Amino acid sequence: MSSKERPTLGGTRIKTRKRNIAAPLDPAAFADAVVQIYLDNAGDLELIPKSIESSDLNFSRYGDTFFEVVFTGGRTQPGTTKPDEGERHPYSIIDCEPKREIILPSVIYIQKILRRRPFLIKNLENVMRRFLQSLELFEENERKKLAIFTALAFSQKLSGLPPETVFQPLLKDNLVAKGLVLSFMTDFFKEYLVDNSLDDLISILKRGKVEDNLLDFFPSAKRSAECFSEHFTKEGLIPLVEYNEKKTFEVKLKEMKSALTTQIAEEADITEVIETVKQKVKDAKLPDIEVVRVLWDVLMDAVQWSGKNQQQNANSALRQVKTWAELLNTFCTNGKLELELIYKVQMQCYEDAKLMKLFPEIVRSLYDQDVLAEDTILHWFRKGTNPKGRQTFVKALEPFVNWLEEAEEEE
């Protein structure tokens, strides 16, 4: 072998590294191909998924474009809901009638697509978010179809579509101010509750982080409990009205309890505390019976209970009753409210073992401070309806009742 010749390995091919060649971005061609599948199958949502499955369309790259075609029949212009150039089909969600039985097949169709291509859920979110943020660009009839689709999508548990994807984009000031959000949510509520319970709806709203802010769907001028009740009562959504009233009531009750807890912890003047309660009751229109319940809970929560020392517990409870008797007296204004207070004492002593033996002493103290009338105590003793611990407490209170009856006879 000549010294100038280079050695070679017989039968060996030298491999060269291939470069990754990116396919050109062409959403228009992709959209036209999907539209053609719709047209070839005459909008048959049973046949279209099969044609899509057998195609070599690049869904991973053009997922958003695919859902534009599903919703609107073709591509939309970037940043709008307006049709773009290219082929279109007449079988879209926007083009159909605003009826659940017409739109439901589209929801099931999308579910089939997402099961085969779960990565497309993000593209569905993107397109829905964009459309909902642009509600003013749709006609009223089209907005209704979107609301029905959304309700059915949640009802059918459409591949884990997150509620926040739907509800958060709606809370744009201009959409709310025009009443578009309230109209959309009303259609959504009505449609969703056809197949689902109110608890299911509340669960969806919680996950969407709007459960505590339902009034945010109303224009600012109508953002009140009265407007909420009036609107949804008119729309036939009585369970939702009742739920919101209960929710509002609980919030106001919690606010009063928090304010009282702070004042009592700071040992505020009793007249100041009474005025606070009166103002809260007036503002929130709280029922008297709930006020009595809250007062007792707050007063007892402020007591520093000892673990096992019964005498210390008794002294602490009785001291609290004596200190705040005027507060209790102000709001226990009749026999019914006094009886409710006894029931609160009964329940607390029944549920807390360390307080079990304190029941007669607390009742006696409330009597001594003129919070409980003799007739109320005797009524509870003879006809009380709460069975929890009643037999034990009646026996424990018997000596005091005997004393009351003897005193009454002497008079």
Side-chain angles (χ1 to χ4, degrees), residues 227-247:
C227 287
F228 186 100
S229 298
E230 181 182 349
H231 174 78
F232 286 115
T233 298
K234 184 180 178 181
E235 294 292 338
L237 295 170
I238 304 300
L240 185 63
V241 172
E242 293 173 346
Y243 167 80
N244 190 66
E245 288 176 348
K246 181 181 178 184
K247 186 78 177 176

Side-chain angles (χ1 to χ4, degrees), residues 215 218-231 244 248:
L215 284 178
F218 284 72
S220 57
K222 298 182 178 180
R223 205 165 288 173
S224 68
E226 291 75 19
C227 287
F228 186 100
S229 298
E230 181 182 349
H231 174 78
N244 190 66
T248 303

Side-chain angles (χ1 to χ4, degrees), residues 236-298:
L237 295 170
I238 304 300
L240 185 63
V241 172
E242 293 173 346
Y243 167 80
N244 190 66
E245 288 176 348
K246 181 181 178 184
K247 186 78 177 176
T248 303
F249 172 77
E250 289 173 351
V251 168
K252 291 179 177 179
L253 212 57
K254 187 176 180 180
E255 289 174 353
M256 185 179 81
K257 190 171 184 178
S258 177
L260 280 175
T261 299
T262 300
Q263 286 187 311
I264 289 173
E266 295 174 351
E267 298 182 352
D269 186 83
I270 196 165
T271 56
E272 181 183 341
V273 177
I274 290 172
E275 285 306 310
T276 296
V277 177
K278 286 182 176 179
Q279 191 61 48
K280 292 288 184 183
V281 170
K282 180 181 178 181
D283 294 342
K285 300 178 182 178
L286 298 174
D288 294 339
I289 200 165
E290 291 295 340
V291 175
V292 170
R293 290 168 181 166
V294 168
L295 289 178
W296 184 256
D297 285 340
V298 170

Side-chain angles (χ1 to χ4, degrees), residues 108-336:
I108 296 172
Y109 156 70
I110 292 175
Q111 186 76 285
K112 291 178 182 177
I113 299 294
L114 292 177
R115 283 172 182 161
R116 294 187 178 98
R117 294 178 171 84
F119 60 86
L120 284 176
I121 188 65
K122 284 298 178 185
N123 301 107
L124 176 59
E125 290 180 37
N126 293 340
V127 172
M128 286 194 68
R129 186 183 297 111
R130 176 153 52 89
F131 285 172
L132 294 175
Q133 287 177 329
S134 308
L135 277 183
E136 73 269 30
L137 302 180
F138 290 97
E139 296 179 2
E140 181 180 354
N141 208 30
E142 294 172 337
R143 292 194 292 269
K144 185 178 182 68
K145 295 168 193 176
L146 286 175
I148 294 174
F149 172 86
T150 304
L152 291 173
F154 286 132
S155 185
Q156 296 291 319
K157 298 178 174 56
L158 186 61
S159 291
L161 184 67
E164 57 268 26
T165 298
V166 173
F167 299 130
Q168 294 302 322
L170 285 170
L171 295 175
K172 290 178 63 178
D173 291 343
N174 63 314
L175 297 180
V176 173
K178 293 176 182 178
L180 301 180
V181 176
L182 179 59
S183 177
F184 179 92
M185 291 305 298
T186 300
D187 289 333
F188 171 83
F189 290 150
K190 291 168 75 171
E191 193 59 47
Y192 186 81
L193 288 172
V194 170
D195 294 324
N196 302 275
S197 69
L198 181 65
D199 288 341
D200 293 329
L201 176 60
I202 300 308
S203 176
I204 290 282
L205 296 175
K206 283 182 179 178
R207 286 163 51 206
K209 301 176 183 177
V210 294
E211 181 239 358
D212 293 329
N213 307 303
L214 295 182
L215 284 178
D216 289 351
F217 294 132
F218 284 72
S220 57
K222 298 182 178 180
R223 205 165 288 173
S224 68
E226 291 75 19
C227 287
F228 186 100
S229 298
E230 181 182 349
H231 174 78
F232 286 115
T233 298
K234 184 180 178 181
E235 294 292 338
L237 295 170
I238 304 300
L240 185 63
V241 172
E242 293 173 346
Y243 167 80
N244 190 66
E245 288 176 348
K246 181 181 178 184
K247 186 78 177 176
T248 303
F249 172 77
E250 289 173 351
V251 168
K252 291 179 177 179
L253 212 57
K254 187 176 180 180
E255 289 174 353
M256 185 179 81
K257 190 171 184 178
S258 177
L260 280 175
T261 299
T262 300
Q263 286 187 311
I264 289 173
E266 295 174 351
E267 298 182 352
D269 186 83
I270 196 165
T271 56
E272 181 183 341
V273 177
I274 290 172
E275 285 306 310
T276 296
V277 177
K278 286 182 176 179
Q279 191 61 48
K280 292 288 184 183
V281 170
K282 180 181 178 181
D283 294 342
K285 300 178 182 178
L286 298 174
D288 294 339
I289 200 165
E290 291 295 340
V291 175
V292 170
R293 290 168 181 166
V294 168
L295 289 178
W296 184 256
D297 285 340
V298 170
L299 291 177
M300 291 299 104
D301 286 346
V303 174
Q304 299 298 316
W305 301 106
S306 170
K308 295 181 180 179
N309 192 313
Q310 289 291 326
Q311 191 56 51
Q312 286 184 7
N313 287 332
N315 292 340
S316 298
L318 300 180
R319 191 181 308 116
Q320 191 77 329
V321 168
K322 186 175 181 179
T323 302
W324 297 100
E326 185 181 347
L327 175 63
L328 293 170
N329 236 323
T330 302
F331 297 96
C332 284
T333 54
N334 56 50
K336 182 180 178 181

